[in-house]
Amino acid sequence: MSSGSQCRPADWALEELLGLPHSTGPEAVIQFPWGFRVVESRADWERRRGWVLYLVRKKLLSTPAAAGALSRLLGCRIYSYAGLKDACSISWQHVSLYRCRKTPLRVKAYGGRMEAWLLGRGGYVYPGGHRGNMFRIRLEARGGCRTSNLEWITGHYGPQRFGVSRPNTHLYSILYASGRWDLLARELGYRYPLERRIAPGDYESKILTEISKSLAPPQGRSFGGVVVEAFRSYLFNRALTRAVEEGRSLWSLGESAASVVCGGYTYRVPVARLPSRTLLGSHTGWSRLVARVMEEEGVEPGILPLRGGLRPLIYPVCRYSCRRLGDSEVSIRLHLPPGAFATTALLALYSILWIDSYLECM
């Protein structure tokens, strides 16, 4: 843990910060945002009275920001979406809204950075209701396309799960749970390279407010909110990375199996529980890995929620293709199931230079 900005590298190791495995391929830069396009696969929706369904196109906007702006423009009570899409991208996804005062056929906002088209009335899309995501990604990559046959990727959480400009939300929980208040105060004030100043009303501002209200010893109670969710994602990444480094069979490590639909096919995948107090009391191979990681971080189980949902340890890749565009550019097409991250798929092929990648986006 660094105690000040002078101790941080200018191009920080994002993989290390988020518990991801280090990649060994050639160096590459992701062309955010124009070269990172995401299209949500067909969404399953339910017929519910009072709801309307829109297809939303957004650029350099998070999914909550785009859905919230659309809801305010139409005067709606609440909204729902199938999945989160990277803010540093151009993406298309489904958004449902309830009890809107107006429902135009087309909406534009943020100077064209968000557009929405009415798909139908009475349609409610629920979280996780999409069939996957299709990506078209452009990379600056020395050596051109990687010839690896990408059929499976690990279930690691990608950088966008933690935030792009401030990918340290999980560190707040680690420092909070271990009572390292001086380091927590410094971490709250640290600014990453290219990070703009946090403004009142920003998502990050709300996180910092949430933490500042809780600066007291945990005393056996869990620390809730988005910060501890990022922390659980970090623990999951660390445990999964450890399993891969030790050559453990992810199938034997999985606590059960689940079906994943991708590209019209159904795959069986091993799944394990997210870190929770119940998991740590189960004494499985996976729980022992998570417990070991938590002991290394110096945090007590009491910070975790009582229970945690299931997440695949590996995901199938429905489609992967790579085309050379020139001496140093390639175009990649990926089709992944819901919950799988394109950035972790790219890490299986290339060593991503994150600062250079996010330069244009930021």
Side-chain angles (χ1 to χ4, degrees), residues 279-302:
L279 169 66
L280 294 178
S282 64
H283 305 295
T284 63
W286 174 249
S287 71
R288 286 192 290 271
L289 268 178
V290 173
R292 199 193 323 168
V293 167
M294 289 194 67
E295 184 177 0
E296 292 170 0
E297 296 292 345
V299 296
E300 295 296 327

Side-chain angles (χ1 to χ4, degrees), residues 71-100:
S71 179
R72 289 190 297 272
L73 286 170
L74 303 184
C76 312
R77 289 189 179 181
I78 54 175
Y79 56 81
S80 176
Y81 43 79
L84 295 169
K85 304 291 175 281
D86 200 321
C88 287
S89 70
I90 301 173
S91 59
W92 289 258
Q93 67 180 116
H94 302 83
V95 175
S96 292
L97 305 107
Y98 182 66
R99 292 284 178 90
C100 303

Side-chain angles (χ1 to χ4, degrees), residues 10-307:
D11 188 355
W12 78 86
L14 197 65
E15 294 94 336
E16 185 77 21
L17 184 64
L18 305 184
L20 292 165
H22 286 279
S23 35
T24 58
E27 292 183 349
V29 174
I30 305 173
Q31 294 295 325
F32 290 116
W34 58 271
F36 197 89
R37 298 171 187 263
V38 189
V39 179
E40 197 168 69
S41 300
R42 190 184 75 186
D44 296 325
W45 53 273
E46 301 172 356
R47 186 165 295 280
R48 291 191 184 182
R49 187 175 180 180
W51 287 85
V52 290
L53 182 62
Y54 276 84
L55 178 67
V56 174
R57 175 190 182 272
K58 64 181 184 65
K59 176 184 177 182
L60 291 175
L61 286 173
S62 68
T63 296
L70 182 61
S71 179
R72 289 190 297 272
L73 286 170
L74 303 184
C76 312
R77 289 189 179 181
I78 54 175
Y79 56 81
S80 176
Y81 43 79
L84 295 169
K85 304 291 175 281
D86 200 321
C88 287
S89 70
I90 301 173
S91 59
W92 289 258
Q93 67 180 116
H94 302 83
V95 175
S96 292
L97 305 107
Y98 182 66
R99 292 284 178 90
C100 303
R101 290 198 297 267
K102 49 186 177 180
T103 54
L105 296 178
R106 185 181 180 188
V107 182
K108 293 184 71 173
Y110 285 111
R113 284 167 55 199
M114 186 194 76
E115 283 189 86
W117 296 268
L118 180 65
L119 295 181
R121 305 181 190 280
Y124 167 74
V125 62
Y126 50 88
H130 57 310
R131 300 292 183 92
N133 297 293
M134 293 173 285
F135 300 86
R136 192 172 69 201
I137 304 168
R138 294 185 74 160
L139 297 178
E140 287 182 18
R142 297 174 185 173
C145 289
R146 298 287 284 165
T147 57
S148 302
N149 186 15
L150 196 65
E151 295 182 350
W152 297 86
I153 62 172
T154 57
H156 286 99
Y157 284 93
Q160 57 267 53
R161 174 65 181 82
F162 301 85
V164 171
S165 60
R166 177 164 281 262
N168 62 345
T169 46
H170 60 291
L171 297 182
Y172 302 149
S173 282
I174 296 174
L175 297 174
Y176 171 81
S178 55
R180 288 175 276 181
W181 310 116
D182 55 338
L183 292 182
L184 176 56
R186 291 175 179 175
E187 191 66 39
L188 291 174
Y190 179 76
R191 292 293 175 268
Y192 284 87
L194 309 179
E195 184 181 9
R196 64 179 176 82
R197 184 176 295 278
I198 296 174
D202 283 359
Y203 189 56
E204 289 291 347
S205 176
K206 296 176 182 177
I207 292 176
L208 301 186
T209 301
E210 175 185 324
I211 293 169
S212 64
K213 290 180 179 178
S214 305
L215 286 180
Q219 296 178 346
R221 60 185 176 84
S222 64
F223 184 31
V226 67
V227 178
V228 80
E229 289 307 310
F231 176 51
R232 295 209 296 173
S233 301
Y234 168 74
L235 292 177
F236 188 95
N237 277 359
R238 281 283 313 274
L240 182 52
T241 295
R242 182 66 56 83
V244 172
E245 290 173 348
E246 295 178 357
R248 304 277 289 270
S249 166
L250 299 185
W251 272 105
S252 62
L253 200 61
E255 298 182 302
S256 59
S259 296
V260 171
V261 178
C262 187
Y265 296 93
T266 300
Y267 299 83
R268 296 289 286 174
V269 297
V271 296
R273 281 175 288 180
L274 288 171
S276 66
R277 283 174 281 164
T278 301
L279 169 66
L280 294 178
S282 64
H283 305 295
T284 63
W286 174 249
S287 71
R288 286 192 290 271
L289 268 178
V290 173
R292 199 193 323 168
V293 167
M294 289 194 67
E295 184 177 0
E296 292 170 0
E297 296 292 345
V299 296
E300 295 296 327
I303 192 175
L304 295 175
L306 179 60
R307 296 180 178 84

